[in-house]
Amino acid sequence: MKEAYYRPGFNGSSHCCCCSFLNCCFCCIFNFIFQIVCALLLIVGIVVFILWLILRPNPVKFYVTDASLTQFDISPTNNVLYNLALSMKVRNPNKCIEIYYDQIEAEASYAGQVFAATDVTGFYQGDKETDFLNMVFNGQNLMVLEKDDLSKFDFETEMESFSIDIKLDLKVRLKSLLFKTLKLSPKIECDLKVPLDSKGKGSGYFETKRCHFDWVH
């Protein structure tokens, strides 16, 4: 009986060693890249945090300085006819922070129902600057009020003064020195009491109202 013959060193182990070596190299390269990315993200986070601590951005101040409501009626078919014009003052109280208002969408609502919307032209605002906005809501829209809200509407019609809420949805970017943020989406809410000025006979004076500003959305 012949003995089995084995060639020394030929048992497939060299192929396995080669695969293990390639896998090891791949893992090392992947870990190296991952560590670099984590380090860069950490550095960027630290820089942003330091800038935030140094600059401490304050909320932009929005004021409705004037409101003219010449029509606000509800037809028997539940269509509200409206003509509302607003003037706003926008104050950037921050030093060394510039603001790019890329998009401004304004909504007007009554009793929680949006009855009008309009777009406002975007603008650039430097640090410590004050700018002014004008917006007009004019037209008609369907607005079905519940019984309690309809009673409120009848009462405010008699008083010739209406509770109208204005909301602004913004897309802004902040710039300081050489740094510029990604787009942020703050919201501004203004709870107004607007007197009716029908046929040139105003029922009262509008008092300037500061709006609520919220960075986080």
Side-chain angles (χ1 to χ4, degrees):
M1 183 175 179
K2 295 183 179 180
E3 295 182 357
Y5 176 72
Y6 295 97
R7 294 180 62 182
F10 187 76
N11 57 2
S13 61
S14 61
H15 179 71
C16 293
C17 290
C18 182
C19 291
S20 299
F21 176 75
L22 291 176
N23 289 336
C24 182
C25 290
F26 177 78
C27 290
C28 290
I29 294 173
F30 178 80
N31 289 333
F32 179 70
I33 295 175
F34 179 75
Q35 290 175 5
I36 291 177
V37 172
C38 289
L40 290 175
L41 291 176
L42 180 61
I43 292 173
V44 171
I46 293 175
V47 171
V48 171
F49 181 69
I50 292 175
L51 288 175
W52 185 274
L53 290 178
I54 294 174
L55 300 174
R56 293 185 181 275
N58 296 308
V60 182
K61 298 179 180 178
F62 281 75
Y63 301 88
V64 179
T65 57
D66 190 26
S68 174
L69 183 65
T70 57
Q71 185 181 26
F72 200 61
D73 302 316
I74 295 182
S75 69
T77 56
N78 293 319
N79 277 321
V80 57
L81 289 80
Y82 55 87
N83 189 1
L84 172 65
L86 298 176
S87 298
M88 299 189 73
K89 180 174 73 173
V90 184
R91 173 66 178 170
N92 177 12
N94 297 287
K95 185 177 181 181
C96 300
I97 295 181
E98 305 163 22
I99 306 175
Y100 293 86
Y101 296 87
D102 296 323
Q103 183 177 328
I104 306 174
E105 297 179 351
E107 291 181 347
S109 60
Y110 182 83
Q113 295 191 48
V114 176
F115 64 84
T118 187
D119 293 329
V120 182
T121 304
F123 63 99
Y124 160 81
Q125 186 174 50
D127 60 327
K128 295 290 185 178
E129 283 189 359
T130 299
D131 292 275
F132 297 89
L133 302 178
N134 294 304
M135 58 195 72
V136 176
F137 304 91
N138 183 25
Q140 61 178 345
N141 205 351
L142 181 66
M143 187 173 70
V144 181
L145 297 178
E146 299 293 336
K147 183 177 180 180
D148 292 342
D149 295 329
L150 188 57
S151 298
K152 175 184 176 182
F153 180 85
D154 293 337
F155 174 77
E156 293 189 337
T157 299
E158 184 178 349
M159 299 300 296
E160 294 188 326
S161 181
F162 293 92
S163 303
I164 296 177
D165 299 327
I166 303 296
K167 183 174 73 173
L168 303 183
D169 291 328
L170 308 180
K171 298 293 184 184
V172 304
R173 290 170 294 150
L174 307 182
K175 180 182 178 182
S176 180
L177 303 177
L178 299 177
F179 297 94
K180 186 182 293 185
T181 68
L182 298 176
K183 286 188 178 182
L184 305 174
S185 302
K187 293 187 183 296
I188 291 88
E189 295 181 351
C190 316
D191 302 327
L192 307 179
K193 197 73 173 177
V194 185
L196 181 65
D197 185 12
S198 59
K199 299 180 181 179
K201 296 177 62 178
S203 60
Y205 293 99
F206 177 80
E207 297 183 359
T208 296
K209 174 75 173 184
R210 181 175 176 177
C211 304
H212 174 72
F213 185 99
D214 191 357
W215 276 118
V216 184
H217 272 281

